[in-house]
């Protein structure tokens, strides 16, 4: 009965080699988020989609891109991973942004290792 | 933008005692305040939340209080148990979540 699913759970990539992380949801939520979380730190929002509308955080590096081909799926593309991009990447969803719709549900995360 | 400060960064309490974690926020327009618990290597899990029209909310051993005037909110855990050991994050939201820096809570058996 997993609601927010992330694959893979662990991803190893080489320095500079493009990598794609995936997220899917069975909740039919309108909003999907990507967060980066480094050890002992709070999750940091990279971007989010409200339906098909893409919203990028001002300090998200250009190296990070995202795609949402349909309601259920969202992808995080890292074009040229650097050592500093090693982190846990968390996907989250919410019904919307209005009252009673903003509760976010997190997936289990993908831990990215860059060699 | 919103800025959320969280204290303390680490907290150790004896099993059975109470734990209190405090957060302050800067944006008076924030209207939703969730608390997440994150165990090592796992996802953040929502444990309780409060909206700006409510001053206090309780769910069994967990309670949250909100003071909108002072722009601070607190998490209270009573009768702590070893399984309460985790990192706790507060957050404030107007349109998106801004997280506090986290509190590592350790329950000493």
């Amino acid at each position: 009965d997993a609601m927010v699913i992330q694959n893979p759970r662990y991803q190893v990539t080489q320095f500079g080699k493009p990598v794609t992380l995936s997220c899917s949801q069975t909740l039919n939520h309108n909003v999907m988020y990507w967060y980066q979380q480094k050890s002992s730190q709070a999750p940091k929002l990279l971007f989010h989609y409200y339906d098909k509308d893409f919203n990028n955080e001002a300090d998200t590096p250009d190296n990070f891109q995202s795609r949402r081909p349909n309601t259920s799926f969202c992808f995080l593309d890292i074009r040229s991973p650097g050592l500093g991009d090693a982190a846990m990447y968390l996907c989250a969803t919410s019904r919307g942004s209005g009252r009673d719709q903003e509760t976010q549900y997190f997936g289990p995360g993908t831990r990215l290792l860059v060699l | 933008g919103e800025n959320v400060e969280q204290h303390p960064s680490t907290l150790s309490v004896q099993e059975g005692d109470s734990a209190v974690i405090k957060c302050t926020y800067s944006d008076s327009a924030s209207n939703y305040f969730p608390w997440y618990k994150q165990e090592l290597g796992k996802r953040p899990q929502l444990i309780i939340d409060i909206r700006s029209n409510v001053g206090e909310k309780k769910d069994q051993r967990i309670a949250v209080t909100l003071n909108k005037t002072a722009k601070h909110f607190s998490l209270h855990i009573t009768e702590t148990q070893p399984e309460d050991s985790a990192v706790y994050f507060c957050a404030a939201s107007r349109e998106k979540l801004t997280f506090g820096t986290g509190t590592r809570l350790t329950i000493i058996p």
Side-chain angles (χ1 to χ4, degrees), chain B residues 4-109:
Chain B
V4 179
E5 295 188 357
Q6 183 172 346
H7 299 282
S9 57
T10 60
L11 178 62
S12 296
V13 300
Q14 289 290 138
E15 181 178 355
D17 288 351
S18 295
V20 180
I21 303 170
K22 298 182 179 182
C23 290
T24 60
Y25 62 99
S26 61
D27 187 350
S28 57
S30 288
N31 55 14
Y32 173 64
F33 307 91
W35 285 87
Y36 285 87
K37 174 183 179 182
Q38 189 174 28
E39 297 177 41
L40 188 63
K42 296 190 176 181
R43 77 186 79 192
Q45 288 200 299
L46 180 72
I47 54 171
I48 196 167
D49 57 14
I50 192 167
R51 290 180 170 83
S52 57
N53 60 341
V54 176
E56 184 174 357
K57 183 177 178 181
K58 189 173 181 180
D59 182 3
Q60 298 182 345
R61 298 186 296 109
I62 296 173
V64 58
T65 58
L66 171 66
N67 183 326
K68 277 206 71 179
T69 303
K71 289 190 281 191
H72 66 71
F73 56 113
S74 301
L75 177 72
H76 304 253
I77 306 174
T78 58
E79 301 172 18
T80 53
Q81 301 168 2
E83 52 265 37
D84 294 330
S85 295
V87 178
Y88 291 79
F89 291 100
C90 65
S93 174
R94 184 169 67 167
E95 293 181 348
K96 60 184 180 183
L97 288 182
T98 300
F99 284 89
T101 49
T103 297
R104 182 173 300 278
L105 175 64
T106 302
I107 307 302
I108 304 166

